[in-house]
Amino acid sequence: ATASSISGARSRSTSAHPAGSVGPEVDGQPKEEDKEEEKEEEEDDKLYCLCKTKYDEDKPMIACDSCDEWYHMKCVEIPEYMGDLVDQFFCPPCIEKNLSAHLKTTYKARCLFGINSLEAGATKPCHKPARPFSKYCSDECGVKNIRKRIDNFTKKGGNKEDLWESVKTASKREGLVRVISPSSAMQMDSLETDVLKPIIREVQPTKTKQEREIDRLNGLLADIERLRDELHRGMDILLSREKLLQLATDRSENLEQCGWDQRLCFSDEDWADYGEGVLESYAEQDGSAENNAGEAEWWCPGDQECERHAGWQGLRAKDIDKEKEKKEEALFKLTSREREIRKRIDRIEEQDAVPLLGTAPRRGGGPPKSNKLSNGHTTKVKVNGDTAKKGKKRKTLSS
């Protein structure tokens, strides 16, 4: 874990924190303040790192994953900007004491946009680790990297239209499942020892790409239906609130009282449980100034010019109108999204022989050339003369 300016890279509750850093609190101990003062005095004299100096909050530090001792990042030759990229850190003394364990400081894969930003003249490079199953730390960095590649392509005389022609037929990358199991057949290796020869079998999908895409889109439709049901329930509650507001307003005018009803602030859960009873309580009133004993606690009996609840009718009406507008807008967006998805499903069902959405037939009338290899993977189209190789990982760079 790092201290000072490099915070949040990793957290270690077992590390002996340097003086000035925040450690876990302990409750229920007598004279805790005196103990903390004594502890601080002891820690003030402690020496850290290879340089054997006292703690300095201006110098970022990192804790060893073996001995939990803290070291200045500069002293162990770790640049400050790489604090977030450290996966496991082992200090030089631990490495020397455990040579047989081959301890080594490891780093997380860096955001690809950050790697490409290390070129001369680059500004604001990204120093964050890439997300799992991604080359980038965020969608924003991914978009920036693509824009940068397109700009470099055009600067070298490339045409954006040609670039689009080369990538518009690309389809989604799919995973390949392989099952490895031992075989009863034996083979001899170079040392003349019997070893089992594994059998590698590829598991073919039970559905076509079109069927899998339709299943995915139907899943999105199910999510939309669920959200729509929740919004409709919310709209029903808003209508009940609106009716309660009108009943409370009428009662206030008839009795010449403030008439503020605390149940106007009920949550959606409360309305689902007690909404019917709230509205029925108004029907049970006889219109006199005396309320039922069980319901009197909800209404304010003050004058109509009650200072505490002045203007409550208008304020609650505005709140209800705003909530209603938000839910109506959300319903409209869901309906629009649903139409788009249903159109895509219809397009797939009508064109079973055409590639998946996002693809287009090639010009020239000939059949599309397959980019599939024998192992089921696909090669990437060349851009600027470079072919991206599948399975290669970029090494993390450091300066």
Side-chain angles (χ1 to χ4, degrees):
T2 56
S4 186
S5 61
I6 304 299
S7 61
R10 295 177 295 132
S11 61
R12 304 173 49 81
S13 59
T14 57
S15 298
H17 292 267
S21 60
V22 180
E25 296 181 357
V26 181
D27 298 330
Q29 294 186 3
K31 298 181 181 179
E32 187 66 27
E33 294 181 358
D34 295 339
K35 290 184 178 181
E36 287 182 357
E37 289 178 1
E38 293 176 3
K39 187 176 180 181
E40 287 179 0
E41 290 177 0
E42 293 176 1
E43 289 182 340
D44 286 343
D45 296 331
K46 185 175 180 179
L47 302 180
Y48 295 92
C49 189
L50 301 172
C51 59
K52 298 301 178 184
T53 57
K54 295 181 180 180
Y55 173 71
D56 185 353
E57 62 180 8
D58 294 329
K59 295 181 179 179
M61 304 181 76
I62 186 169
C64 176
D65 281 276
S66 178
C67 65
D68 288 341
E69 291 296 328
W70 290 79
Y71 295 84
H72 295 119
M73 298 183 71
K74 184 176 181 181
C75 293
V76 292
E77 298 181 353
I78 296 179
E80 182 177 341
Y81 68 85
M82 293 187 67
D84 288 337
L85 296 174
V86 176
D87 181 31
Q88 282 189 318
F89 165 70
F90 297 101
C91 64
C94 285
I95 293 176
E96 292 178 3
K97 291 178 185 178
N98 303 277
L99 294 176
S100 60
H102 303 289
L103 300 179
K104 183 180 179 181
T105 298
T106 57
Y107 296 87
K108 302 172 185 177
R110 185 174 182 173
C111 174
L112 181 59
F113 177 68
I115 295 175
N116 294 338
S117 298
L118 295 177
E119 302 171 0
T123 57
K124 297 181 180 180
C126 178
H127 303 302
K128 296 180 182 179
R131 295 178 297 187
F133 308 108
S134 175
K135 299 177 183 178
Y136 308 100
C137 68
S138 62
D139 293 342
E140 183 181 359
C141 276
V143 172
K144 287 181 179 178
N145 192 61
I146 294 299
R147 286 177 177 171
K148 185 177 179 181
R149 291 182 61 184
I150 294 175
D151 291 342
N152 291 337
F153 175 74
T154 54
K155 286 178 182 178
K156 294 178 181 179
N159 190 339
K160 286 186 179 181
E161 294 182 1
D162 294 340
L163 181 61
W164 168 245
E165 287 293 329
S166 64
V167 299
K168 71 179 183 180
T169 56
S171 59
K172 290 183 179 180
R173 182 179 295 180
E174 295 189 342
L176 177 66
V177 179
R178 287 182 173 180
V179 178
I180 300 178
S181 56
S183 170
S184 57
M186 307 295 288
Q187 73 172 20
M188 306 296 290
D189 63 9
S190 58
L191 298 178
E192 296 184 356
T193 56
D194 295 339
V195 294
L196 289 175
K197 181 179 179 181
I199 297 177
I200 301 176
R201 179 173 57 87
E202 291 186 5
V203 179
Q204 299 296 329
T206 57
K207 296 182 178 180
T208 64
K209 288 183 179 180
Q210 285 82 356
E211 291 172 340
R212 294 197 297 273
E213 181 67 4
I214 289 177
D215 289 344
R216 185 184 72 84
L217 294 175
N218 282 328
L220 296 178
L221 290 176
D223 293 339
I224 289 175
E225 191 63 28
R226 177 179 54 81
L227 293 174
R228 182 184 285 112
D229 290 341
E230 292 178 2
L231 287 171
H232 281 312
R233 284 194 293 269
M235 288 294 289
D236 292 339
I237 291 174
L238 278 177
L239 293 175
S240 298
R241 284 199 178 112
E242 198 170 34
K243 187 174 182 180
L244 173 61
L245 177 60
Q246 185 61 48
L247 291 172
T249 302
D250 293 343
R251 182 181 180 280
S252 171
E253 293 175 355
N254 293 336
L255 301 179
E256 296 183 354
Q257 291 182 349
C258 170
W260 160 253
D261 193 334
Q262 297 179 35
R263 293 171 292 186
L264 285 167
C265 295
F266 268 8
S267 65
D268 289 354
E269 291 78 11
D270 291 335
W271 266 104
D273 295 334
Y274 311 111
E276 260 184 60
V278 171
L279 299 178
E280 288 175 359
S281 66
Y282 280 85
E284 294 171 358
Q285 300 306 308
D286 57 6
S288 64
E290 295 183 359
N291 304 319
N292 291 346
E295 302 294 339
E297 60 180 306
W298 298 110
W299 293 300
C300 175
D303 298 334
Q304 283 185 315
E305 303 299 329
C306 175
E307 294 183 2
R308 184 178 180 184
H309 304 117
W312 61 267
Q313 295 92 335
L315 291 174
R316 289 306 301 167
K318 288 181 180 179
D319 291 341
I320 292 174
D321 288 340
K322 286 182 180 178
E323 290 184 45
K324 191 182 295 184
E325 287 178 5
K326 289 181 180 178
K327 284 182 168 50
E328 287 175 350
E329 183 180 356
L331 284 169
F332 177 77
K333 289 182 179 179
L334 284 179
T335 302
S336 300
R337 177 64 175 159
E338 181 184 14
R339 289 174 181 170
E340 293 176 1
I341 294 174
R342 292 194 183 281
K343 286 181 181 178
R344 294 168 67 180
I345 292 176
D346 293 340
R347 197 178 305 131
I348 295 175
E349 291 176 345
E350 291 174 359
Q351 301 176 355
D352 290 336
V354 176
L356 272 179
L357 295 174
T359 65
R362 295 174 180 267
R363 295 183 179 180
K369 296 181 179 179
S370 175
N371 290 330
K372 285 191 176 180
L373 302 177
S374 58
N375 60 2
H377 291 298
T378 57
T379 58
K380 291 186 176 180
V381 182
K382 290 185 178 181
V383 180
N384 296 338
D386 297 330
T387 304
K389 295 183 179 180
K390 184 175 180 63
K392 297 291 183 180
K393 294 184 178 178
R394 291 182 180 271
K395 294 182 179 179
T396 304
L397 302 180
S398 61
S399 58

